[in-house]
Amino acid sequence: MNMKNLEQSEESRGVILFAFNTAEINYLKIAENCVKLIKKHLNLPVTLITNENCEIEHCNVVHYTQTQFYNTRPGGAGKEWKNVDRYLAYELSPYDTTLLIDCDYYIFTNNLLKYFDIVEDYLLAKEQLFTSNITLGTMGDFQIDQRWATLTLFKKTQRSKLFCELVKRVQTNYRYYASLYSIKQRNYRNDHAFTIAHSILNGYCNDIEFCYPETLIAISEDVEDLEIRDASIIIRTENKSYLLPKTNLHFISKNFLLSEKCQNIIEEYVSDT
């Protein structure tokens, strides 16, 4: 039964994840922990788009065979990467307002809930701070401000639909757009496609009006330990430790997320009421 038919004033809200395993990385396993954290902090329904036959608690699984589009992860030493059809989030989302996040973006707060009341058609992440010295703030030789596909919030509006259609067009004709925007790295990236689509839709201007106002925190080194406290998080790597206020985190390296140690930490954390 569609509850929206019974109560028109109440719009549906939910989260969309994409998870496609590769030979090296079990993204589905990473997504399972992401779903648990979403349930704990956001308490929103989750739809997972995957090509795997699976069942995940607190999650609606949609089976989808992705475009045969081979790609490698930037900085991933040639490792295969299968996350190229994110423009389908608009079509596949059953929600009026949708939060689209990477499955390696782990939710440790409820701060994203307030953005579901946005007046804009969509929000893109405009800033991402990396813990290492990686600097990826601009795109191409023209130094266009980068937007990040890590986190996107959109409503089911014509403008959001057009944005997703433009992302598809950029993906389909990526070599052309990479040349047009003077992007030397020809490896397809969702971040670049989202940035280009946003620029085109806003008259070739990267307007901050449609941007998520908070900075994303990305852990770019290999993590060895994670300690989640009431008001803070400690990340330990081989050479450093980071004490952060409790915040959502984007894990660039997947090794720790796939470890038994991480599984136990997350399981204990979500079980703690």
Side-chain angles (χ1 to χ4, degrees), residues 48-59:
L48 176 69
I49 314 300
T50 182
N51 59 346
E52 304 289 333
N53 292 313
C54 62
E55 292 185 6
I56 297 178
E57 189 177 6
H58 308 304
C59 185

Side-chain angles (χ1 to χ4, degrees), residues 227-234 236 243 246 269:
E227 184 178 341
I228 310 167
R229 299 179 175 180
D230 289 340
S232 62
I233 293 178
I234 298 177
R236 296 184 177 89
L243 175 61
K246 201 168 185 183
Y269 174 67

Side-chain angles (χ1 to χ4, degrees), residues 25-51:
I25 301 176
N26 187 337
Y27 282 97
L28 198 59
K29 186 175 182 180
I30 293 172
E32 286 189 61
N33 278 336
C34 187
V35 171
K36 293 175 184 177
L37 291 167
I38 291 168
K39 179 65 178 177
K40 179 178 178 70
H41 287 293
L42 305 182
N43 195 28
L44 290 171
V46 180
T47 296
L48 176 69
I49 314 300
T50 182
N51 59 346

Side-chain angles (χ1 to χ4, degrees), residues 125-137:
K126 69 182 178 70
E127 294 180 349
Q128 186 157 206
L129 175 64
F130 292 80
T131 53
S132 69
N133 60 354
I134 299 174
T135 54
L136 295 171

Side-chain angles (χ1 to χ4, degrees), residues 133-144:
N133 60 354
I134 299 174
T135 54
L136 295 171
T138 58
M139 182 190 75
D141 290 344
F142 299 126
Q143 300 292 292
I144 296 173

Side-chain angles (χ1 to χ4, degrees), residues 42-93:
L42 305 182
N43 195 28
L44 290 171
V46 180
T47 296
L48 176 69
I49 314 300
T50 182
N51 59 346
E52 304 289 333
N53 292 313
C54 62
E55 292 185 6
I56 297 178
E57 189 177 6
H58 308 304
C59 185
N60 173 41
V61 177
V62 175
H63 190 270
Y64 170 72
T65 301
Q66 193 171 222
T67 302
Q68 295 300 310
F69 186 105
Y70 178 78
N71 210 6
T72 56
R73 292 179 61 233
K79 291 183 179 179
E80 188 181 12
W81 177 75
K82 297 180 179 180
N83 193 6
V84 296
D85 286 350
R86 291 169 71 91
Y87 61 84
L88 282 169
Y90 183 94
E91 177 184 334
L92 296 177
S93 174

